[in-house]
Amino acid sequence: MSFSKDTKKDLCSMEVSDENKLHALVYGMVLFSKQFSPAAVSFTTECKATAAYYSEMVSSLTGAIVETTVQLTRRGGAEGLYTVCIPDKNDCKKVFDFFGHSDRAASLRINRSNIYDDECLPYFLRGAFLVCGNVASPEKDYHMEFVVVHMNLANDLCKIISETEINPKGIKSVCRKGNYIVYTKGSESIADILGYIGAQKSYFDILDAKIVKSLRNNANRQTNFDMANSKKTAFAAARQLEAIRIIREAGEISNLSDDLKELALLREEHPEYNLRDLGEALTVPISRSGVNHRLARLIEIAGNISGKPV
């Protein structure tokens, strides 16, 4: 089962005993259905739990008869799409009127009189998410969207989400394939919205996934940093060894000062040492900068011998 279906299943398992909150919940479900008019009320879902919940909640609140049909897929008769509708047009008109909508209105908008107070708002958004919302698995991507049929309704949804106490950032709307998509890609915004509408498990799943991703990214950055440093150290050591080879083949090793000769021999014996290791291994230990200065002097001598930069 997908992350989105799991989230909806959890939401559908929660009882709503307060009448005002139930009213807001059902209003969110019918308003954001694919069809909500005096002549038709219906929506389609792949989530069986949502289909059953919609049917039960709408029927219990409005008294309308709700019907559910399922379209089977070809893969072994597995359940596919559930279509939930109010088959009787008189019932459709009854539900439409029940929530204070008029067929004379220019466009479908949120009727805020159905959301009695701030405590009812999470339930309204829960209903909207159940019928037109989707959320991607946080292990794959951070993306949450509401697919809305009407432009003004989508704009209203953007506004009402932004007005909530969580005030999520990055809520946007775009037209796609004839629908209006209200979406956010921010992990914090998605988690906040899910927590706000009551999907606590999904809320913590997103936070956990974000922590894991952060740890993984930090580990990758550290690995890349270490690899870059290792390559840099190996390149520098190879250059130093080449300089010492030139000095040795020219018979000039014995003519080096004692401090340069000791460092040259040490570098040949331990090509894997970094500057700190070399400095600590000398008879008289010196700092990294001191080692670097002496190695630079060896490279300069080799360049003078060969007549070109090492």
Side-chain angles (χ1 to χ4, degrees):
M1 187 177 290
S2 70
F3 183 76
S4 194
K5 283 185 181 179
D6 282 340
T7 301
K8 292 181 179 182
K9 185 177 179 181
D10 288 342
L11 290 173
C12 290
S13 68
M14 300 175 186
E15 294 185 4
V16 182
S17 56
D18 183 272
E19 186 175 342
N20 290 342
K21 293 174 181 177
L22 176 63
H23 186 104
L25 171 72
V26 175
Y27 180 55
M29 289 195 290
V30 296
L31 180 63
F32 288 94
S33 296
K34 186 175 182 180
Q35 291 182 301
F36 180 60
S37 73
V41 178
S42 72
F43 90 106
T44 301
T45 180
E46 294 180 350
C47 181
K48 182 179 180 180
T50 301
Y53 191 69
Y54 182 102
S55 178
E56 180 185 353
M57 294 297 102
V58 173
S59 180
S60 66
L61 182 68
T62 68
I65 295 174
V66 183
E67 205 172 75
T68 303
T69 58
V70 59
Q71 178 184 347
L72 300 181
T73 66
R74 296 180 179 179
R75 293 177 296 179
E79 293 177 344
L81 293 176
Y82 295 86
T83 299
V84 188
C85 70
I86 298 176
D88 187 276
K89 288 189 177 181
N90 291 328
D91 277 350
C92 291
K93 179 69 165 59
K94 175 184 173 183
V95 171
F96 200 71
D97 293 341
F98 180 85
F99 291 107
H101 284 271
S102 170
D103 55 1
R104 293 189 297 273
S107 63
L108 195 61
R109 308 292 296 267
I110 295 176
N111 181 357
R112 296 208 179 200
S113 66
N114 291 292
I115 307 169
Y116 298 109
D117 53 35
D118 290 343
E119 291 184 1
C120 292
L121 185 52
Y123 292 85
F124 171 74
L125 293 177
R126 181 190 298 182
F129 176 77
L130 285 172
V131 299
C132 74
N134 285 291
V135 59
S137 169
E139 295 179 0
K140 299 177 181 178
D141 190 19
Y142 294 122
H143 183 87
M144 183 182 199
E145 67 180 29
F146 297 79
V147 182
V148 185
V149 176
H150 305 281
M151 180 181 69
N152 287 332
L153 192 57
N155 293 336
D156 286 353
L157 180 61
C158 277
K159 185 177 181 181
I160 205 168
I161 291 175
S162 299
E163 290 175 356
T164 62
E165 61 188 49
I166 57 173
N167 189 24
K169 307 299 181 184
I171 303 296
K172 299 178 181 179
S173 178
V174 64
C175 183
R176 186 178 71 203
K177 296 181 180 180
N179 290 312
Y180 298 89
I181 314 300
V182 176
Y183 71 95
T184 179
K185 292 180 176 291
S187 60
E188 290 185 8
S189 294
I190 295 170
D192 286 345
I193 292 172
L194 289 175
Y196 183 69
I197 66 175
Q200 297 299 323
K201 181 179 181 301
S202 296
Y203 168 83
F204 286 112
D205 284 344
I206 288 179
L207 295 186
D208 288 345
K210 186 176 181 181
I211 292 171
V212 170
K213 284 184 178 181
S214 178
L215 292 173
R216 186 183 297 123
N217 290 337
N218 288 339
N220 288 338
R221 280 194 291 270
Q222 185 61 47
T223 298
N224 292 336
F225 177 77
D226 291 343
M227 289 180 63
N229 277 346
S230 296
K231 289 180 179 179
K232 184 178 179 181
T233 300
F235 176 80
R239 186 181 181 209
Q240 296 154 11
L241 288 169
E242 175 63 12
I244 295 168
R245 182 191 66 78
I246 292 171
I247 295 171
R248 181 177 292 283
E249 290 183 355
E252 294 294 328
I253 283 287
S254 58
N255 295 329
L256 294 173
S257 61
D258 291 341
D259 56 349
L260 291 182
K261 184 189 300 182
E262 182 186 12
L263 182 57
L265 295 176
L266 185 63
R267 169 50 88 197
E268 283 184 316
E269 184 178 356
H270 298 287
E272 76 283 2
Y273 275 11
N274 58 32
L275 297 183
R276 188 186 306 278
D277 295 335
L278 289 171
E280 292 175 352
L282 292 170
T283 302
V284 179
I286 61 175
S287 66
R288 292 173 70 254
S289 61
V291 173
N292 191 52
H293 176 74
R294 292 183 187 182
L295 289 170
R297 180 66 183 137
L298 290 172
I299 291 172
E300 181 183 355
I301 293 171
N304 293 334
I305 293 173
S306 65
K308 59 181 181 181
V310 177

Coordinates of all heavy atoms in Angstrom, one line a residue, residues 30-108:
V30 N -17.5 16.5 0.4 CA -18.4 16.7 -0.7 C -18.0 17.9 -1.6 O -18.1 17.8 -2.8 CB -19.9 16.8 -0.3 CG1 -20.3 15.6 0.4 CG2 -20.0 18.0 0.6
L31 N -17.5 18.9 -1.0 CA -17.1 20.1 -1.7 C -16.0 19.8 -2.7 O -16.0 20.4 -3.8 CB -16.7 21.2 -0.8 CG -16.3 22.6 -1.4 CD1 -17.5 23.2 -2.2 CD2 -15.8 23.5 -0.3
F32 N -15.0 19.0 -2.3 CA -13.9 18.7 -3.1 C -14.0 17.4 -3.9 O -13.0 16.9 -4.5 CB -12.6 18.7 -2.3 CG -12.2 20.1 -1.9 CD1 -12.6 20.6 -0.6 CD2 -11.5 21.0 -2.7 CE1 -12.3 21.9 -0.3 CE2 -11.1 22.3 -2.4 CZ -11.5 22.7 -1.1
S33 N -15.2 16.9 -3.9 CA -15.5 15.7 -4.8 C -15.3 16.2 -6.3 O -15.4 17.4 -6.6 CB -16.9 15.2 -4.6 OG -17.0 14.7 -3.2
K34 N -15.2 15.2 -7.1 CA -15.1 15.5 -8.6 C -16.3 16.2 -9.1 O -16.2 17.1 -9.9 CB -14.8 14.2 -9.3 CG -14.5 14.5 -10.8 CD -14.1 13.2 -11.5 CE -13.8 13.5 -13.0 NZ -13.5 12.2 -13.7
Q35 N -17.5 15.8 -8.5 CA -18.7 16.4 -8.9 C -19.4 16.8 -7.6 O -19.7 16.0 -6.7 CB -19.6 15.5 -9.7 CG -19.1 15.2 -11.1 CD -20.1 14.3 -11.8 OE1 -20.4 13.2 -11.4 NE2 -20.6 14.8 -13.0
F36 N -19.8 18.1 -7.5 CA -20.6 18.6 -6.4 C -21.5 19.7 -7.0 O -21.1 20.8 -7.2 CB -19.7 19.1 -5.3 CG -20.5 19.7 -4.1 CD1 -21.4 18.8 -3.4 CD2 -20.4 21.0 -3.7 CE1 -22.1 19.3 -2.3 CE2 -21.2 21.5 -2.7 CZ -22.0 20.6 -2.0
S37 N -22.7 19.3 -7.2 CA -23.7 20.2 -7.8 C -25.1 19.7 -7.4 O -25.3 18.6 -6.9 CB -23.6 20.2 -9.3 OG -24.1 19.0 -9.9
P38 N -26.2 20.5 -7.7 CA -27.5 20.0 -7.4 C -27.9 18.8 -8.2 O -28.9 18.1 -7.8 CB -28.4 21.2 -7.8 CG -27.5 22.4 -7.8 CD -26.2 21.8 -8.3
A39 N -27.2 18.4 -9.2 CA -27.5 17.3 -10.1 C -26.6 16.1 -9.9 O -27.0 15.0 -10.2 CB -27.5 17.7 -11.5
A40 N -25.4 16.3 -9.3 CA -24.5 15.2 -9.1 C -23.5 15.4 -8.0 O -23.0 16.5 -7.8 CB -23.7 14.9 -10.4
V41 N -23.3 14.4 -7.2 CA -22.3 14.4 -6.1 C -21.6 13.0 -6.2 O -22.2 12.0 -6.0 CB -22.9 14.5 -4.7 CG1 -21.8 14.5 -3.7 CG2 -23.7 15.8 -4.6
S42 N -20.3 13.1 -6.6 CA -19.5 11.8 -6.7 C -18.0 12.1 -6.7 O -17.6 13.2 -7.0 CB -19.9 11.1 -8.0 OG -19.4 11.8 -9.2
F43 N -17.3 11.1 -6.4 CA -15.8 11.1 -6.6 C -15.3 9.7 -6.7 O -16.0 8.7 -6.5 CB -15.2 11.8 -5.4 CG -14.8 10.9 -4.2 CD1 -13.5 10.6 -4.0 CD2 -15.8 10.4 -3.4 CE1 -13.1 9.7 -2.9 CE2 -15.5 9.5 -2.3 CZ -14.1 9.2 -2.1
T44 N -14.1 9.6 -7.2 CA -13.4 8.3 -7.5 C -12.1 8.2 -6.7 O -11.4 9.2 -6.6 CB -13.2 8.1 -9.0 OG1 -14.4 8.2 -9.7 CG2 -12.5 6.8 -9.3
T45 N -11.9 7.0 -6.1 CA -10.7 6.9 -5.3 C -10.1 5.4 -5.5 O -10.9 4.5 -5.8 CB -11.0 7.1 -3.8 OG1 -9.7 6.9 -3.1 CG2 -12.0 6.2 -3.3
E46 N -8.8 5.3 -5.2 CA -8.2 4.0 -5.2 C -8.2 3.4 -3.8 O -7.7 2.3 -3.6 CB -6.8 4.0 -5.8 CG -6.8 4.4 -7.3 CD -5.3 4.5 -7.8 OE1 -4.4 4.4 -7.0 OE2 -5.2 4.5 -9.1
C47 N -8.6 4.2 -2.9 CA -8.5 3.8 -1.5 C -9.9 3.3 -1.0 O -10.8 4.1 -0.9 CB -8.0 5.0 -0.6 SG -7.9 4.6 1.1
K48 N -9.9 2.0 -0.7 CA -11.2 1.4 -0.3 C -11.7 2.0 1.0 O -12.9 2.2 1.2 CB -11.0 -0.1 -0.1 CG -12.2 -0.9 0.3 CD -11.9 -2.4 0.4 CE -13.1 -3.2 0.9 NZ -12.8 -4.6 1.0
A49 N -10.8 2.3 2.0 CA -11.1 2.9 3.3 C -11.8 4.2 3.1 O -12.8 4.5 3.7 CB -9.9 3.0 4.2
T50 N -11.3 5.0 2.2 CA -11.8 6.3 1.9 C -13.2 6.2 1.3 O -14.1 7.0 1.7 CB -10.9 7.2 1.0 OG1 -9.6 7.3 1.5 CG2 -11.5 8.5 0.7
A51 N -13.4 5.3 0.4 CA -14.7 5.1 -0.2 C -15.8 4.7 0.8 O -16.9 5.3 0.9 CB -14.6 4.0 -1.3
A52 N -15.4 3.8 1.7 CA -16.4 3.4 2.8 C -16.6 4.5 3.8 O -17.8 4.7 4.2 CB -15.8 2.2 3.5
Y53 N -15.6 5.2 4.1 CA -15.7 6.3 5.1 C -16.6 7.5 4.5 O -17.5 8.0 5.2 CB -14.3 6.9 5.4 CG -14.2 7.8 6.5 CD1 -14.4 7.4 7.8 CD2 -13.9 9.2 6.3 CE1 -14.3 8.2 8.9 CE2 -13.8 10.0 7.4 CZ -14.0 9.6 8.7 OH -13.9 10.4 9.8
Y54 N -16.4 7.8 3.3 CA -17.2 8.9 2.6 C -18.7 8.5 2.6 O -19.5 9.3 3.0 CB -16.7 9.0 1.2 CG -17.3 10.1 0.3 CD1 -16.7 11.3 0.1 CD2 -18.6 9.9 -0.3 CE1 -17.3 12.3 -0.7 CE2 -19.2 10.8 -1.1 CZ -18.5 12.0 -1.3 OH -19.1 13.0 -2.1
S55 N -18.9 7.2 2.2 CA -20.3 6.8 2.2 C -21.0 6.8 3.5 O -22.1 7.3 3.7 CB -20.3 5.3 1.6 OG -21.6 4.8 1.6
E56 N -20.2 6.4 4.5 CA -20.8 6.4 5.9 C -21.0 7.8 6.4 O -22.1 8.1 7.0 CB -19.9 5.6 6.8 CG -20.3 5.5 8.3 CD -19.3 4.9 9.2 OE1 -18.3 4.3 8.7 OE2 -19.6 4.9 10.4
M57 N -20.0 8.7 6.3 CA -20.1 10.0 6.9 C -21.2 10.9 6.2 O -22.0 11.5 6.8 CB -18.8 10.7 6.8 CG -17.6 10.1 7.6 SD -18.0 10.1 9.4 CE -18.5 8.4 9.7
V58 N -21.2 10.8 4.8 CA -22.2 11.6 4.1 C -23.6 11.2 4.4 O -24.5 12.0 4.7 CB -21.9 11.6 2.6 CG1 -23.0 12.3 1.8 CG2 -20.6 12.2 2.3
S59 N -23.8 9.9 4.4 CA -25.1 9.3 4.7 C -25.6 9.6 6.1 O -26.7 10.0 6.4 CB -25.1 7.8 4.5 OG -26.4 7.3 4.7
S60 N -24.7 9.5 7.1 CA -25.1 9.7 8.5 C -25.4 11.2 8.8 O -26.3 11.5 9.6 CB -23.9 9.3 9.4 OG -22.8 10.1 9.3
L61 N -24.7 12.1 8.1 CA -24.9 13.5 8.4 C -26.1 14.1 7.6 O -26.9 14.8 8.2 CB -23.7 14.3 8.0 CG -23.8 15.8 8.3 CD1 -23.8 16.1 9.8 CD2 -22.6 16.6 7.7
T62 N -26.2 13.7 6.3 CA -27.3 14.3 5.5 C -28.5 13.5 5.3 O -29.5 14.0 4.8 CB -26.7 14.7 4.1 OG1 -26.4 13.4 3.4 CG2 -25.4 15.5 4.2
G63 N -28.4 12.2 5.5 CA -29.5 11.3 5.3 C -29.6 10.8 3.9 O -30.5 10.0 3.5
A64 N -28.7 11.2 3.0 CA -28.7 10.8 1.6 C -28.3 9.4 1.4 O -27.4 8.9 2.2 CB -27.9 11.8 0.7
I65 N -28.8 8.7 0.4 CA -28.4 7.4 0.1 C -27.1 7.5 -0.8 O -27.1 8.1 -1.8 CB -29.5 6.6 -0.6 CG1 -30.7 6.4 0.3 CG2 -29.0 5.2 -1.1 CD1 -31.9 5.8 -0.4
V66 N -26.1 6.8 -0.4 CA -24.8 6.8 -1.1 C -24.5 5.5 -1.6 O -24.7 4.5 -0.9 CB -23.7 7.3 -0.2 CG1 -22.4 7.4 -0.9 CG2 -24.0 8.6 0.5
E67 N -24.0 5.4 -2.9 CA -23.8 4.2 -3.6 C -22.3 4.1 -3.9 O -21.7 5.0 -4.3 CB -24.6 4.1 -4.8 CG -25.0 2.7 -5.3 CD -26.0 2.8 -6.5 OE1 -25.6 3.2 -7.6 OE2 -27.2 2.6 -6.3
T68 N -21.8 2.9 -3.8 CA -20.3 2.6 -4.2 C -20.2 1.5 -5.2 O -20.8 0.4 -5.0 CB -19.5 2.3 -3.0 OG1 -19.6 3.3 -2.0 CG2 -18.0 2.1 -3.3
T69 N -19.5 1.8 -6.3 CA -19.2 0.7 -7.3 C -17.7 0.6 -7.4 O -17.0 1.6 -7.1 CB -19.8 1.1 -8.6 OG1 -19.3 2.3 -9.1 CG2 -21.3 1.1 -8.6
V70 N -17.2 -0.5 -7.8 CA -15.8 -0.8 -8.0 C -15.5 -1.3 -9.4 O -16.2 -2.2 -9.9 CB -15.3 -1.7 -6.9 CG1 -16.0 -3.1 -6.9 CG2 -13.8 -1.9 -7.0
Q71 N -14.5 -0.7 -9.9 CA -14.0 -1.2 -11.3 C -12.8 -2.1 -11.0 O -11.7 -1.6 -10.6 CB -13.7 0.0 -12.1 CG -13.1 -0.4 -13.5 CD -12.7 0.8 -14.3 OE1 -13.0 2.0 -14.0 NE2 -12.0 0.6 -15.4
L72 N -12.9 -3.3 -11.4 CA -11.8 -4.3 -11.1 C -10.7 -4.1 -12.2 O -11.0 -3.8 -13.3 CB -12.3 -5.7 -11.2 CG -13.4 -6.1 -10.1 CD1 -13.8 -7.5 -10.3 CD2 -12.9 -5.8 -8.7
T73 N -9.5 -4.3 -11.8 CA -8.4 -4.2 -12.7 C -8.2 -5.6 -13.4 O -8.9 -6.6 -13.0 CB -7.1 -3.9 -12.0 OG1 -6.7 -5.0 -11.1 CG2 -7.2 -2.6 -11.2
R74 N -7.4 -5.7 -14.3 CA -7.2 -6.9 -15.1 C -6.2 -7.9 -14.4 O -6.0 -9.0 -14.8 CB -6.7 -6.6 -16.5 CG -7.7 -5.8 -17.3 CD -7.1 -5.6 -18.7 NE -8.1 -4.8 -19.5 CZ -7.8 -4.5 -20.8 NH1 -6.7 -4.7 -21.3 NH2 -8.8 -3.8 -21.5
R75 N -5.6 -7.4 -13.4 CA -4.5 -8.2 -12.7 C -5.1 -9.1 -11.7 O -5.2 -8.7 -10.5 CB -3.4 -7.3 -12.1 CG -2.6 -6.5 -13.2 CD -1.6 -5.6 -12.5 NE -2.3 -4.5 -11.8 CZ -1.7 -3.6 -11.1 NH1 -0.3 -3.6 -11.1 NH2 -2.3 -2.7 -10.5
G76 N -5.6 -10.2 -12.0 CA -6.1 -11.2 -11.1 C -7.3 -10.8 -10.4 O -7.7 -11.2 -9.3
G77 N -8.1 -9.8 -10.9 CA -9.3 -9.4 -10.3 C -9.1 -8.5 -9.1 O -10.0 -8.4 -8.2
A78 N -7.9 -7.9 -8.9 CA -7.7 -7.1 -7.8 C -8.6 -5.9 -7.8 O -8.9 -5.4 -8.9 CB -6.2 -6.7 -7.7
E79 N -8.9 -5.3 -6.6 CA -9.7 -4.2 -6.6 C -9.0 -3.0 -7.2 O -7.8 -2.8 -7.0 CB -10.1 -3.9 -5.1 CG -11.1 -5.0 -4.6 CD -11.4 -4.8 -3.1 OE1 -10.7 -4.0 -2.5 OE2 -12.4 -5.4 -2.7
G80 N -9.7 -2.1 -7.9 CA -9.1 -1.0 -8.5 C -9.7 0.3 -8.1 O -9.5 0.8 -7.0
L81 N -10.5 0.9 -8.9 CA -11.1 2.2 -8.7 C -12.5 2.1 -8.0 O -13.4 1.4 -8.5 CB -11.2 3.1 -10.0 CG -9.9 3.5 -10.6 CD1 -10.2 4.2 -11.9 CD2 -9.1 4.4 -9.7
Y82 N -12.7 2.9 -7.0 CA -14.0 3.0 -6.3 C -14.7 4.3 -6.7 O -14.1 5.4 -6.6 CB -13.9 2.9 -4.8 CG -13.3 1.6 -4.3 CD1 -11.9 1.4 -4.2 CD2 -14.1 0.6 -3.9 CE1 -11.4 0.2 -3.8 CE2 -13.6 -0.6 -3.4 CZ -12.2 -0.8 -3.4 OH -11.7 -2.0 -3.0
T83 N -15.9 4.2 -7.2 CA -16.7 5.4 -7.5 C -17.8 5.5 -6.5 O -18.6 4.6 -6.3 CB -17.3 5.3 -8.9 OG1 -16.2 5.3 -9.8 CG2 -18.1 6.6 -9.2
V84 N -17.8 6.6 -5.7 CA -18.8 6.8 -4.7 C -19.7 8.0 -5.2 O -19.2 9.0 -5.5 CB -18.2 7.1 -3.4 CG1 -19.2 7.2 -2.2 CG2 -17.1 6.1 -3.0
C85 N -21.0 7.7 -5.1 CA -21.9 8.8 -5.6 C -23.3 8.8 -4.9 O -23.6 7.8 -4.2 CB -22.2 8.6 -7.1 SG -23.2 7.2 -7.5
I86 N -24.0 9.9 -5.0 CA -25.4 9.9 -4.6 C -26.2 9.8 -5.8 O -26.3 10.7 -6.7 CB -25.6 11.3 -3.9 CG1 -24.8 11.4 -2.6 CG2 -27.1 11.4 -3.5 CD1 -24.9 12.8 -1.9
P87 N -26.8 8.6 -6.0 CA -27.5 8.3 -7.3 C -28.8 9.1 -7.5 O -29.2 9.4 -8.7 CB -27.8 6.8 -7.2 CG -27.9 6.5 -5.7 CD -26.9 7.5 -5.1
D88 N -29.5 9.5 -6.4 CA -30.8 10.2 -6.6 C -30.5 11.7 -6.7 O -29.9 12.3 -5.8 CB -31.7 9.9 -5.4 CG -33.1 10.4 -5.6 OD1 -33.3 11.6 -5.3 OD2 -33.9 9.7 -6.1
K89 N -31.0 12.3 -7.8 CA -30.8 13.8 -8.0 C -31.5 14.6 -6.9 O -31.0 15.7 -6.5 CB -31.3 14.2 -9.3 CG -30.4 13.7 -10.5 CD -30.8 14.3 -11.8 CE -29.9 13.9 -12.9 NZ -30.3 14.5 -14.2
N90 N -32.6 14.1 -6.4 CA -33.3 14.8 -5.3 C -32.4 14.9 -4.0 O -32.3 15.9 -3.3 CB -34.6 14.2 -4.9 CG -35.6 14.4 -6.0 OD1 -35.6 15.4 -6.7 ND2 -36.5 13.4 -6.2
D91 N -31.7 13.8 -3.8 CA -30.7 13.7 -2.7 C -29.5 14.7 -2.9 O -29.0 15.3 -2.0 CB -30.2 12.3 -2.4 CG -31.2 11.5 -1.6 OD1 -32.1 12.1 -1.0 OD2 -31.0 10.2 -1.5
C92 N -29.1 14.7 -4.2 CA -28.0 15.6 -4.6 C -28.3 17.0 -4.3 O -27.6 17.8 -3.7 CB -27.6 15.5 -6.0 SG -26.9 13.9 -6.5
K93 N -29.6 17.4 -4.7 CA -30.0 18.8 -4.4 C -30.2 19.0 -2.9 O -29.8 20.1 -2.4 CB -31.4 18.9 -5.1 CG -32.1 20.3 -4.9 CD -31.3 21.4 -5.7 CE -32.1 22.7 -5.8 NZ -32.5 23.3 -4.5
K94 N -30.6 18.0 -2.2 CA -30.7 18.1 -0.7 C -29.4 18.4 -0.1 O -29.3 19.2 0.8 CB -31.3 16.8 -0.2 CG -31.5 16.8 1.3 CD -32.0 15.4 1.7 CE -32.0 15.2 3.2 NZ -32.4 13.8 3.6
V95 N -28.4 17.6 -0.5 CA -27.0 17.8 0.1 C -26.4 19.2 -0.3 O -25.8 19.9 0.5 CB -26.1 16.7 -0.4 CG1 -24.6 16.9 0.0 CG2 -26.5 15.3 0.2
F96 N -26.6 19.6 -1.6 CA -26.1 20.8 -2.0 C -26.7 22.0 -1.2 O -26.0 22.9 -0.8 CB -26.5 21.0 -3.5 CG -25.7 22.0 -4.3 CD1 -24.4 21.8 -4.6 CD2 -26.2 23.2 -4.7 CE1 -23.6 22.7 -5.3 CE2 -25.5 24.2 -5.4 CZ -24.2 23.9 -5.7
D97 N -28.0 21.9 -1.0 CA -28.7 22.9 -0.2 C -28.3 22.8 1.3 O -28.3 23.9 2.0 CB -30.2 22.8 -0.3 CG -30.8 23.1 -1.7 OD1 -30.1 23.7 -2.5 OD2 -31.9 22.6 -2.0
F98 N -28.1 21.6 1.8 CA -27.7 21.4 3.2 C -26.5 22.2 3.6 O -26.4 22.7 4.7 CB -27.5 19.9 3.4 CG -27.1 19.5 4.8 CD1 -28.1 19.3 5.7 CD2 -25.8 19.4 5.2 CE1 -27.8 18.9 7.0 CE2 -25.4 19.0 6.5 CZ -26.4 18.8 7.4
F99 N -25.6 22.3 2.6 CA -24.3 23.1 2.9 C -24.4 24.5 2.4 O -23.4 25.2 2.4 CB -23.1 22.4 2.3 CG -22.8 21.0 3.0 CD1 -23.1 19.8 2.4 CD2 -22.3 21.0 4.3 CE1 -22.8 18.6 3.0 CE2 -22.0 19.8 4.9 CZ -22.3 18.6 4.3
G100 N -25.6 25.0 2.1 CA -25.8 26.4 1.8 C -25.3 26.9 0.5 O -25.0 28.1 0.3
H101 N -25.3 26.0 -0.5 CA -24.8 26.4 -1.8 C -26.1 26.6 -2.7 O -27.1 26.1 -2.5 CB -23.9 25.3 -2.4 CG -22.6 25.3 -1.9 ND1 -21.5 26.1 -2.4 CD2 -22.0 24.6 -0.8 CE1 -20.4 25.9 -1.7 NE2 -20.7 25.0 -0.7
S102 N -25.9 27.5 -3.7 CA -26.9 27.8 -4.6 C -26.5 27.6 -6.1 O -25.3 27.9 -6.4 CB -27.3 29.3 -4.5 OG -28.2 29.7 -5.5
D103 N -27.4 27.0 -6.9 CA -27.0 26.7 -8.3 C -27.0 28.0 -9.1 O -26.6 28.0 -10.2 CB -28.0 25.7 -8.9 CG -29.4 26.2 -8.8 OD1 -29.7 27.3 -8.2 OD2 -30.3 25.4 -9.2
R104 N -27.3 29.1 -8.5 CA -27.3 30.4 -9.1 C -25.9 31.1 -9.0 O -25.6 32.1 -9.6 CB -28.4 31.4 -8.6 CG -29.8 30.9 -9.0 CD -30.8 32.0 -8.6 NE -30.8 32.3 -7.2 CZ -31.6 31.6 -6.3 NH1 -32.3 30.6 -6.8 NH2 -31.6 31.9 -5.1
A105 N -25.0 30.5 -8.1 CA -23.7 31.1 -7.9 C -22.9 31.0 -9.2 O -23.0 30.0 -9.9 CB -23.0 30.4 -6.8
A106 N -22.0 32.0 -9.4 CA -21.2 32.0 -10.6 C -20.2 30.9 -10.7 O -19.9 30.4 -11.7 CB -20.5 33.4 -10.8
S107 N -19.6 30.6 -9.5 CA -18.7 29.5 -9.4 C -18.7 28.9 -8.0 O -19.2 29.5 -7.1 CB -17.2 30.0 -9.7 OG -16.9 31.0 -8.8
L108 N -18.1 27.7 -7.9 CA -18.1 27.0 -6.6 C -17.0 27.5 -5.8 O -15.9 27.6 -6.2 CB -17.9 25.5 -6.9 CG -18.3 24.5 -5.7 CD1 -19.7 24.7 -5.3 CD2 -17.9 23.1 -6.1

